[in-house]
Amino acid sequence: MQEYQLGEADNGKKLQLKMDDHVVIKLPASPGTGYNWEVQPNNHFSVSHQYKTQADAGIGSGGMDIFELNPQTPVQNGSIRFLYRRA
């Protein structure tokens, strides 16, 4: 099992994942602005999500959206897409 830690700078990065690999993606977020990260529907991964504020953050400051992905199906060329937009 391998764990991959990815961020915004890894946009477009390609990985060769095995079924027992684990991927953590951390993206900067500021939900107070009305914008949120949205994962496009995907059957290749199970996705869990949590939001963490910065420890010393003031009111209205941003934090990190943390997505944890686990491969669910063997596939040759899969991808996952995140959009940052208003609801």
Side-chain angles (χ1 to χ4, degrees):
M1 178 177 142
Q2 178 132 5
E3 180 169 299
Y4 296 91
Q5 298 278 332
L6 304 173
E8 197 171 18
D10 296 305
N11 184 22
K13 185 174 187 171
K14 295 183 181 194
L15 303 173
Q16 291 186 337
L17 300 175
K18 296 182 178 114
M19 287 298 291
D20 62 345
D21 287 344
H22 182 74
V23 180
V24 177
I25 300 174
K26 295 180 180 179
L27 299 169
S30 187
T33 63
Y35 284 84
N36 292 296
W37 285 103
E38 178 183 301
V39 181
Q40 294 296 288
N42 186 303
N43 296 329
H44 304 299
F45 298 96
S46 69
V47 180
S48 64
H49 170 254
Q50 64 178 322
Y51 175 76
K52 288 192 176 181
T53 57
Q54 297 172 355
D56 58 351
I59 295 173
S61 60
M64 295 296 272
D65 272 322
I66 302 169
F67 297 90
E68 295 189 42
L69 289 69
N70 292 298
Q72 293 297 298
T73 59
V75 66
Q76 286 290 341
N77 292 306
S79 64
I80 190 159
R81 184 175 178 172
F82 294 82
L83 298 175
Y84 193 60
R85 65 182 186 176
R86 286 186 155 175

